[in-house]
Amino acid sequence: MKRVLTFLSLCALLYTTGCAHKEEEKEEEAKYLVTSPFKNDTTLTSQYVCQVRSIQHIELRALEKGYLQKIYVDEGQVVKQGQLMFQILPIQYQAELQKAQAEANFAEVEYRNTKSLADSNIVSKAELALAKAKLDKANAEVTVAKVHLGFTEIRAPFTGIMDHFYVREGSLLNEGDLLTTLSDNSKMWVYFNVPEAEYLNYKTHAQQENMDHVNLLMANQQVFDYPGVVQTIEADFNNETGNIAFRATFPNPKGLLRHGETGNIQMTLPVKNALIIPQKATFEVLEKKYVYVVDKDDKIRSREVTIAAELPHIFVIKSGLGPDDKILLEGLRQVRENEKIHYTFVKPDSVISNLSLYAE
């Protein structure tokens, strides 16, 4: 009987020792990595919805009344400065010019005769001045008639690309009727609105750090090949939106950009003492970002954070964390709220520098 009791006691001791050993192993396995936000100066790329406009975009309108006799160009065509585009039936204006020239010729003959008589003291100098005034008036009417006749030929005021036609050959035009539009796309003006705080950051650092260069993200999510330069900022803020309008100029040598396109301007702005954390230290609930913060009792508590910007493998924190907070780096799915954990602290700069190695 004593042997049996001794045997059972020995078994119980071995079982207890084994359980304790397993608990120690479990505690060793449950050691987590913890770090803090990394505080560092960095730059953030902000995006702003933008509108693309041609550097020159004008309407071509009829300057005289008449029938549209001929269209010499086509929709979407590139036209050169001075190229003939439209011809309004010029018969009426040609007749007016001929009439004005005939009257000018008559006035010139009358002036010469009067001058000859005045030189011989047959007529007074007053009559000669009157004849000269009639000649000047007739010449002015010839000039006006030539201008009106010139208005029947509509030529390109600059090199650009045509839009669609609003009229067709044979249309009866009134003065001021719209014919088409013409765009000079050699350079593009891109307009975008910037919030007040970001405007102040830009103005503070733009000249010091050459930050006037911006990129254009097109509608197909491709970045335009040529960077632009911020050249103009409007004078006043919009009191309803709190924004101010910027204008950047982009070269467009291949003609890819067209008037009326949309996209996003990418502007790089400096951020002093930014708080940076690894993306993998966060989790999402209902489209909100959270981290697990380790408190002074080594218990973890979830905390919502606001993201200022997203960069490869990292988030820049806008609010929710301080530089001295400790956050859980790995094993976010293995822990529960208010659970006490054992951890190893990893320096923030070491974590950030090795993110490309750990990235999940």
Side-chain angles (χ1 to χ4, degrees):
M1 186 67 178
K2 287 181 179 180
R3 288 181 181 178
V4 172
L5 290 173
T6 304
F7 177 76
L8 291 174
S9 299
L10 181 61
C11 288
L13 179 62
L14 290 172
Y15 177 77
T16 306
T17 305
C19 288
H21 184 62
K22 285 181 181 177
E23 277 185 19
E24 286 176 10
E25 286 183 350
K26 186 177 179 183
E27 285 182 5
E28 272 187 46
E29 289 173 1
K31 209 163 192 180
Y32 297 96
L33 294 181
V34 168
T35 188
S36 291
F38 181 54
K39 192 173 184 181
N40 192 35
D41 294 344
T42 186
T43 57
L44 299 181
T45 299
S46 300
Q47 291 198 162
Y48 309 95
V49 176
C50 65
Q51 296 286 333
V52 179
R53 296 286 182 262
S54 300
I55 194 169
Q56 290 191 89
H57 179 78
I58 64 167
E59 296 176 339
L60 293 178
R61 294 182 177 271
L63 295 175
E64 294 291 351
K65 182 178 179 180
Y67 286 98
L68 183 58
Q69 184 180 36
K70 184 68 176 175
I71 299 176
Y72 294 95
V73 290
D74 198 2
E75 296 174 329
Q77 178 183 338
V78 175
V79 296
K80 301 294 183 182
Q81 184 176 5
Q83 182 177 341
L84 182 60
M85 301 172 68
F86 300 95
Q87 174 71 65
I88 298 173
L89 193 64
I91 295 175
Q92 175 185 350
Y93 302 102
Q94 287 173 340
E96 289 180 356
L97 176 59
Q98 290 173 354
K99 178 183 176 183
Q101 286 176 332
E103 290 178 352
N105 291 337
F106 177 80
E108 186 175 1
V109 171
E110 187 176 23
Y111 170 72
R112 288 177 180 173
N113 290 335
T114 304
K115 188 174 185 309
S116 178
L117 294 173
D119 290 342
S120 301
N121 294 321
I122 297 174
V123 298
S124 65
K125 291 184 179 181
E127 288 186 38
L128 177 61
L130 182 60
K132 181 64 169 62
K134 288 181 180 179
L135 176 60
D136 291 342
K137 180 183 176 183
N139 286 333
E141 289 176 352
V142 169
T143 301
V144 171
K146 285 181 179 179
V147 170
H148 282 290
L149 181 60
F151 285 165
T152 63
E153 291 184 346
I154 299 173
R155 297 179 179 272
F158 53 80
T159 298
I161 188 168
M162 297 271 300
D163 195 11
H164 67 276
F165 297 139
Y166 291 89
V167 293
R168 296 292 184 269
E169 288 185 4
S171 299
L172 176 61
L173 303 177
N174 289 312
E175 185 178 341
D177 281 354
L178 180 62
L179 306 177
T180 188
T181 58
L182 184 66
S183 300
D184 177 1
N185 292 341
S186 59
K187 293 181 181 179
M188 306 302 289
W189 281 346
V190 180
Y191 293 87
F192 58 101
N193 294 318
V194 176
E196 184 175 354
E198 294 174 30
Y199 158 80
L200 293 172
N201 287 339
Y202 172 82
K203 291 298 288 182
T204 302
H205 300 285
Q207 294 181 350
Q208 302 170 4
E209 305 183 32
N210 193 26
M211 301 186 67
D212 57 348
H213 286 73
V214 294
N215 291 316
L216 172 62
L217 183 67
M218 298 180 291
N220 62 355
Q221 300 305 304
Q222 298 294 315
V223 177
F224 185 55
D225 290 340
Y226 303 92
V229 178
V230 175
Q231 294 184 323
T232 299
I233 302 174
E234 285 191 3
D236 300 326
F237 278 88
N238 184 322
N239 291 331
E240 295 180 359
T241 63
N243 295 335
I244 192 167
F246 280 48
R247 189 191 78 199
T249 302
F250 284 79
N252 191 31
K254 297 178 182 177
L256 179 61
L257 300 181
R258 297 289 183 96
H259 181 84
E261 283 187 42
T262 59
N264 288 279
I265 284 291
Q266 296 180 330
M267 178 185 287
T268 302
L269 296 173
V271 178
K272 300 295 184 183
N273 297 320
L275 291 181
I276 299 170
I277 65 170
Q279 289 189 18
K280 66 177 184 174
T282 67
F283 61 96
E284 190 169 316
V285 178
L286 299 176
E287 299 184 351
K288 293 182 178 180
K289 298 287 186 187
Y290 291 84
V291 296
Y292 279 125
V293 178
V294 182
D295 66 13
K296 62 182 181 180
D297 299 321
D298 296 340
K299 291 184 177 181
I300 58 169
R301 303 182 189 279
S302 60
R303 185 184 297 177
E304 183 183 351
V305 293
T306 304
I307 307 301
E310 180 177 347
L311 301 174
H313 307 314
I314 64 175
F315 286 133
V316 178
I317 299 300
K318 183 177 181 180
S319 62
L321 283 177
D324 298 325
D325 287 326
K326 295 177 182 178
I327 60 172
L328 189 62
L329 182 60
E330 294 179 342
L332 277 68
R333 296 181 182 179
Q334 301 170 11
V335 297
R336 298 186 304 273
E337 185 79 11
N338 295 323
E339 180 181 352
K340 187 172 183 178
I341 64 169
H342 297 275
Y343 63 85
T344 300
F345 184 80
V346 185
K347 290 183 179 180
D349 55 348
S350 176
V351 172
I352 297 300
S353 63
N354 289 286
L355 272 179
S356 59
L357 300 177
Y358 308 150
E360 294 175 351

